[in-house]
Amino acid sequence: MKVQLIGHDEKYALEQSLLTLFPDERPLYGTVEPGDARWAVVRMHEENGSVCVTTELGFDGTRAAGSHACPLSGTEYEREGQRRHCLGLSFFRAASELLDIHPAWGSLTGVRPTKVALSLLREGGRSYAERELADTYFVTPERIRLAIECADAGIKAAAALEPKDISLYVGIPFCPTRCAYCSFVAQSVEKSFALVEPYLDALCIEIAAAGQLVRDLGLNIRSFYMGGGTPTTLTAPQMDRLLTKLEESFDFAGLAELTVEAGRPDTIDPEKLAVLRAHGTTRVSINPQTMEDRVLAAIGRRHKADDIRRAMEQVRAAGFPHVNMDLIAGLPEDTPEGFARSLDEVLAMGADNVTVHTLSLKKGSRIMLEGSRLPGAEEVSAMLDYANPALRKHGFAPYYLYRQKYMSGSFENVGWTKPGAEGLYNIYIMEELHSILSLGAGGSTKMVGVQDISRAFNAKYPKEYIERPEKWRANLNAFAAFYCDLFPA
């Protein structure tokens, strides 16, 4: 689609709207000319403390227009968000008139729709938030409920935080095999086994330096999360070495939770689970994604549903306080009936935390490269429509949600929890409640200040991470400078 921007350069917001409403179109920026078949002209004008956006769309001979205006206030970071929301509403109004469509999230296009819900709750309470989400943003009733419930969980989590609380993330970028939907920085151990020990050596050096920095800054680790990849790809002795180094380097006395992803059942055994329990792990995450064997084969998993059942029995026997299980709606070869069977079995297994993802069609994944057959948006919608009441019936409530680019049907990922089993790290990172110090290859440190958010990225791949320690050292220096500015001596 030819796109012309007038009076602004808000490409990010435009592209998010385009992905949601015209998923098969990609922007080609330039001047719209007579004869262009598919085009958009998006004008932004600011005057007297307000912004107004008008969108004109042309699509194969039909035309429509939409506009929206709103006041600008707060910090420049907040005003940037207000401009983007205004653009999104303008684009949505034009597109919905042109296409006669009604997406579940209405005009909301960003990663964190709860941000809008939270702002509205603070502005006028629950009834006001519900009304604005419906009438201004065109969100459906079920998604309004999801957004408000997750915003409420964020408010509760924020109230328990202290100014110097942070969370710690450690990445283990190795998996037994690479899943077909995956585009994360993770390498198959069978192809990169020789890198595991050198990676741990390098990671332990970074851990020691980061621990010293956190002590010097007087920060408190509120939650710790080890992700990947698949951390339980490590052997039991390797995991013991890593967790011991973390305990030596950081003061975990104020830790509210310690989570380790044990996502693949083919990496779980009693010895590894005993190591995790001995080091005080409060939650493990087993991520079957599906309990259908044919779907597991289609996504490149080498295990069967029976292996998931075995792993869950071992986890229960080990006595972890909390267990999370993940499912993905929209996987290749899956059906609404198959997804329902998977969810029913996960609920029967006794996990107190269930995350329901919607498949995100990422460019680097094998699914995209091979053109696998995928369920359509209506089938994905049916899967999510089954999940919501089924989880509520079993005593679960939503507590965090987020969206991604290229999601099937432009839906969402939702974390569901039984009372008291919330994964706080998930709330902290999604609602950007405090800083996340990320260690290891592909680590993305997020520094949350009073008025803005800064990021620092570690080297992306394990080999590069091992060979370029200057990158993580520079990031730790940036983290230190950020906190010295935030809490000057």
Side-chain angles (χ1 to χ4, degrees), residues 186-375:
Q187 294 186 263
S188 166
V189 166
E190 60 192 359
K191 294 183 179 180
S192 58
F193 180 77
L195 285 176
V196 177
E197 279 293 337
Y199 178 79
L200 288 177
D201 291 342
L203 180 58
C204 284
I205 294 171
E206 186 187 12
I207 287 170
Q212 183 63 54
L213 175 63
V214 166
R215 289 194 299 273
D216 291 345
L217 294 171
L219 303 177
N220 173 58
I221 306 295
R222 179 69 175 169
S223 72
F224 169 63
Y225 193 102
M226 188 185 298
T230 306
T232 43
T233 300
L234 301 180
T235 65
Q238 287 170 338
M239 183 66 77
D240 182 57
R241 172 193 173 194
L242 178 57
L243 288 170
T244 298
K245 186 64 179 179
L246 284 158
E247 290 166 350
E248 292 172 351
S249 303
F250 292 94
D251 181 1
F252 282 167
L255 207 60
E257 63 178 17
L258 194 163
T259 301
V260 177
E261 286 187 1
R264 299 278 287 266
D266 43 346
T267 68
I268 296 173
D269 61 42
E271 185 183 8
K272 292 180 187 179
L273 295 175
V275 168
L276 295 180
R277 286 296 292 131
H279 286 279
T281 301
T282 58
R283 182 191 316 272
V284 291
S285 182
I286 302 174
N287 304 330
Q289 316 305 10
T290 176
M291 296 298 292
E292 300 282 295
D293 282 341
R294 73 179 187 285
V295 183
L296 287 170
I299 64 175
R301 294 284 184 102
R302 291 186 178 173
H303 62 81
K304 304 276 189 182
D306 277 345
D307 296 307
I308 299 166
R309 298 178 186 109
R310 170 196 55 77
M312 189 59 179
E313 289 175 1
Q314 292 175 347
V315 166
R316 282 200 298 260
F320 289 93
H322 303 292
V323 181
N324 173 78
M325 299 187 82
D326 284 9
L327 292 175
I328 300 179
L331 288 173
E333 305 304 325
D334 208 358
T335 63
E337 295 77 18
F339 179 85
R341 287 192 295 269
S342 294
L343 179 59
D344 288 345
E345 184 162 5
V346 162
L347 290 171
M349 287 182 186
D352 59 3
N353 206 286
V354 175
T355 308
V356 178
H357 296 271
T358 302
L359 180 65
S360 178
L361 303 175
K362 297 176 181 178
K363 294 178 183 178
S365 67
R366 185 157 54 81
I367 285 177
M368 293 298 287
L369 297 175
E370 295 180 357
S372 304
R373 190 204 73 79
L374 299 171

Side-chain angles (χ1 to χ4, degrees), residues 165-171 206-207 209-215 217 219-221 223-225 246 250 425 429 434-440 443-448 454 456 458 472 475-480 483:
D165 284 350
I166 66 169
S167 287
L168 178 66
Y169 176 89
V170 170
E206 186 187 12
I207 287 170
Q212 183 63 54
L213 175 63
V214 166
R215 289 194 299 273
L217 294 171
L219 303 177
N220 173 58
I221 306 295
S223 72
F224 169 63
Y225 193 102
L246 284 158
F250 292 94
Y425 177 87
I429 193 168
H434 66 198
S435 296
I436 310 289
L437 177 58
S438 296
L439 311 181
S444 173
T445 290
K446 183 179 291 187
M447 295 165 274
V448 178
S454 302
N458 273 4
W472 63 253
N475 290 343
L476 289 183
N477 288 336
F479 189 82
Y483 271 93

